[in-house]
Amino acid sequence: MKILVLNGPNLNLLGAREPEVYGDMDLQAFDKAITSRANELGIEVDFRQTNSEDELIGWIHEAFTNKLAVVLNPAAFTHYSYALRDACAAHTSAGNKLIEVHISNPHAREEFRQTSVISAVATGVIAGFGLDSYLLAIEQLARG
Ligand code: DQA
C-alpha cells in the first residue's frame, strides 16, 4: 500500500517554530520517523509539505485519482479552507481514506483553532500527540 502524508503551511518551520507548542523535531525528522514506521508496516510513504493551498489541493486530487489513502495535517487551512474541504470530501465520499492529524490539540488552544472545516469530511481525526498523531494514523491505515 502507498499513502500520501501531506503537511500544510508553516510546517516547514517545525523544530524552530513555537517549540513549546510543536516540539523541537524538524520536518525532516518527522519524515524519517513516519517513513520508517510505515515501512515496518509494509506501507510506502510519500511525505510532502507545502505553504500553497493550490498545491495541497492538487495533491488531494492526485490521491483521489489514484485512490491513495492520505494522512493530512492541513495546518492553518484546517480552520478556513472550504476549497481544501471540498477536495477532501471528493476523496472520502468516493470511499478513500483521509485521516486529519494535528501535532497540538487545537481544541485546547485559541478559539479560531477550535473549528475544523475538514473534520466532517475526514475518515477520522487524531490530534494532540505530536509525532505520534501521525504514527497512530499510519497504524490505523495499516489495519485496513
Ligand atoms: C496544527 C494546528 C493548527 O491550528 C496550526 O495552524 C498549525 C499546526 C497542528 O499540527 O497542531 O499550523 O495543524
Side-chain angles (χ1 to χ4, degrees):
M1 181 185 13
K2 180 179 163 183
I3 67 167
L4 300 186
V5 178
L6 305 179
N7 295 279
N10 301 304
L11 292 170
N12 54 311
L13 297 180
L14 270 183
R17 168 196 186 204
E18 299 178 84
E20 67 287 359
V21 177
Y22 300 112
D24 52 21
M25 266 179 86
D26 66 16
L27 191 69
Q28 217 184 345
F30 266 64
D31 181 359
K32 216 172 148 197
I34 290 162
T35 300
S36 148
R37 179 67 185 132
N39 291 349
E40 276 172 17
L41 295 167
I43 296 174
E44 188 191 333
V45 166
D46 196 339
F47 185 95
R48 305 178 192 173
Q49 187 276 332
T50 183
N51 294 320
S52 155
E53 187 178 22
D54 172 27
E55 188 168 33
L56 190 53
I57 290 168
W59 290 344
I60 301 290
H61 292 174
E62 179 187 332
F64 171 59
T65 303
N66 296 311
K67 302 185 185 347
L68 301 176
V70 175
V71 174
L72 173 65
N73 185 342
F77 293 146
T78 306
H79 312 303
Y80 67 90
S81 176
Y82 297 118
L84 182 62
R85 176 198 165 104
D86 283 351
C88 293
H91 183 65
T92 54
S93 69
N96 303 302
K97 290 188 177 160
L98 182 146
I99 303 183
E100 176 186 346
V101 297
H102 299 281
I103 296 164
S104 67
N105 175 2
H107 298 284
R109 300 181 61 197
E110 301 97 316
E111 201 176 337
F112 77 90
R113 295 187 202 279
Q114 293 170 22
T115 297
S116 168
V117 301
I118 307 297
S119 297
V121 297
T123 312
V125 183
I126 304 171
F129 300 105
L131 168 68
D132 285 350
S133 295
Y134 292 75
L135 299 180
L136 290 164
I138 302 273
E139 283 161 16
Q140 181 58 36
L141 290 175
R143 292 176 179 217

